[in-house]
Amino acid sequence: MKLKVNGTVREFANEITVSELLSGLGINPKLCVVERNLNIVKKRNYDTEKLKEGDVIEIVTLVGGG
């Protein structure tokens, strides 16, 4: 299955959830926002939202500073 993640095409052997994608990328789900095909995915749905072939995913991580 191919997904476009932040502009880069990535290939996965199986269907995955948003949580599994974030985990595989080493991203803390509490510190990011995920957009799937131009729609924001609610954090409560990360464990159940299954990604499909051709989905376009944008992940924005939150960075603190000051």
Side-chain angles (χ1 to χ4, degrees), residues 5-55:
V5 181
N6 288 358
T8 302
V9 175
R10 296 179 179 257
E11 198 157 335
F12 299 89
N14 301 311
E15 190 175 80
I16 60 172
T17 63
V18 172
S19 286
E20 291 166 334
L21 174 64
L22 294 174
S23 177
L25 296 174
I27 297 173
N28 183 339
K30 294 179 182 177
L31 301 177
C32 73
V33 175
V34 178
E35 180 185 272
R36 176 184 182 201
N37 301 326
L38 303 177
N39 295 303
I40 301 293
V41 179
K42 294 181 181 178
K43 290 189 187 294
R44 68 176 179 249
N45 295 335
Y46 283 7
D47 290 334
T48 58
E49 184 97 8
K50 297 219 182 235
L51 302 175
K52 306 215 181 305
E53 177 77 30
D55 279 349

